[in-house]
Amino acid sequence: MAAIALVLAFVIKTFFVQAFYIPSGSMENTLRLGDRVLVDKLTPWFGSTPSRGDVVVFRDPGDWLANEPTPHAGVVQKALSAVGLMPSADEKDLIKRVIAVGGDTVRCTAGSPVSVNGVALNEPYLYPGATPCDNDPVGTVTVPKGKLWVMGDHRDNSEDSRFHQLTAAGDGFVPQENVIGRAFVVAWPVSHWATLPEPDTFNQPQLRAQSASDAPAAESPALLGVASAVPLTFWLRRRRTAVTASPAATAAVAPQGRE
């Protein structure tokens, strides 16, 4: 039975749903330090691409986490990572909200709301008191095809596309192929349980009309079956190893098993 449970956990983690731990405050108050989110890894297999407004987990697109410490991997972590129950010690991912997709034009200036394709966004998910772009204004940016423009909900505490657009480390864009999946629910703690739907501001007809590439996300009926297996995944993953979160608030996100 133990072997079957290990195989099941490996399959679920690899192809369906994975739990991730939030180790920084750059997505507050949507996601708080210590939250566990469930990430849908299945729909990209059906050709779905991230949409504006999605909260996504993605692999570091290029030294975004260069200053983050790499935890030491113990014997237990090495063994569990071999079967997919825990990530390797050098695995580093991030979580942000998709603001714009390939072909979109983003305007991000101090004292003004963020606009996409000339349409101003109403962003009720922003951290209370945070400004849309005041701390890292980048002006007007066009997102290349196949790339994403991502931002944290706690804008004053997030080293996101804006920050990396303004540094020599990269261009601030995230390749679509770096996306691991879409976070669709805060699963833990119970007191903070919530779904993570696409905010209404991204459904404005004027915004949608600007991009002929928009397409509905592929719905995966398999996720319904996976839901019944999620408690097992959490049970198998509840023993976690600790890692120190950097105060830089780069929004690194750790698969459950790493903090």
Side-chain angles (χ1 to χ4, degrees):
M1 290 299 294
I4 294 175
L6 289 174
V7 172
L8 179 60
F10 174 76
V11 171
I12 292 172
K13 176 260 182 185
T14 303
F15 300 105
F16 299 100
V17 174
Q18 186 173 357
F20 284 81
Y21 170 85
I22 307 301
S24 82
S26 73
M27 280 294 292
E28 290 180 325
N29 274 335
T30 304
L31 302 174
R32 301 172 187 171
L33 181 65
D35 281 353
R36 274 71 166 177
V37 297
L38 296 185
V39 173
D40 167 19
K41 301 174 69 175
L42 181 62
T43 51
W45 287 79
F46 290 86
S48 175
T49 57
S51 299
R52 306 181 194 96
D54 286 349
V55 175
V56 296
V57 172
F58 57 95
R59 293 183 295 275
D60 188 340
D63 296 327
W64 285 31
L65 297 173
N67 297 322
E68 291 288 320
T70 299
H72 172 71
V75 175
V76 174
Q77 181 168 2
K78 288 180 179 179
L80 293 180
S81 65
V83 295
L85 295 181
M86 190 175 286
S88 61
D90 60 354
E91 183 177 339
K92 293 181 179 180
D93 303 312
L94 301 97
I95 187 164
K96 301 287 186 186
R97 187 181 299 278
V98 177
I99 299 299
V101 298
D104 286 345
T105 297
V106 180
R107 182 167 176 77
C108 178
T109 59
S112 299
V114 175
S115 68
V116 178
N117 299 329
V119 179
L121 300 180
N122 174 29
E123 301 187 281
Y125 46 78
L126 290 185
Y127 183 80
T131 57
C133 266
D134 286 17
N135 59 319
D136 284 319
V138 294
T140 301
V141 177
T142 298
V143 184
K145 293 292 185 181
K147 300 291 184 72
L148 305 171
W149 182 266
V150 300
M151 299 168 76
D153 288 357
H154 192 171
R155 297 284 162 78
D156 301 337
N157 190 36
S158 177
E159 293 182 358
D160 48 36
S161 287
R162 300 166 301 150
F163 176 84
H164 293 283
Q165 179 80 19
L166 296 170
T167 67
D171 56 15
F173 302 116
V174 176
Q176 285 185 1
E177 59 265 26
N178 281 41
V179 175
I180 295 170
R182 179 181 66 87
F184 63 93
V185 67
V186 180
W188 189 263
V190 174
S191 60
H192 196 206
W193 187 92
T195 58
L196 298 170
E198 180 182 302
D200 289 341
T201 191
F202 294 97
N203 292 321
Q204 297 181 72
Q206 304 94 319
L207 176 59
R208 292 288 185 181
Q210 296 297 321
S211 178
S213 64
D214 277 350
E219 295 297 335
S220 173
L223 283 179
L224 298 177
V226 172
S228 61
V230 168
L232 173 61
T233 306
F234 269 104
W235 177 78
L236 291 169
R237 297 170 182 273
R238 65 183 176 182
R239 185 176 182 83
R240 299 178 285 106
T241 57
V243 62
T244 303
S246 166
T250 52
V253 58
Q256 191 164 337
R258 213 181 96 207
E259 293 183 352

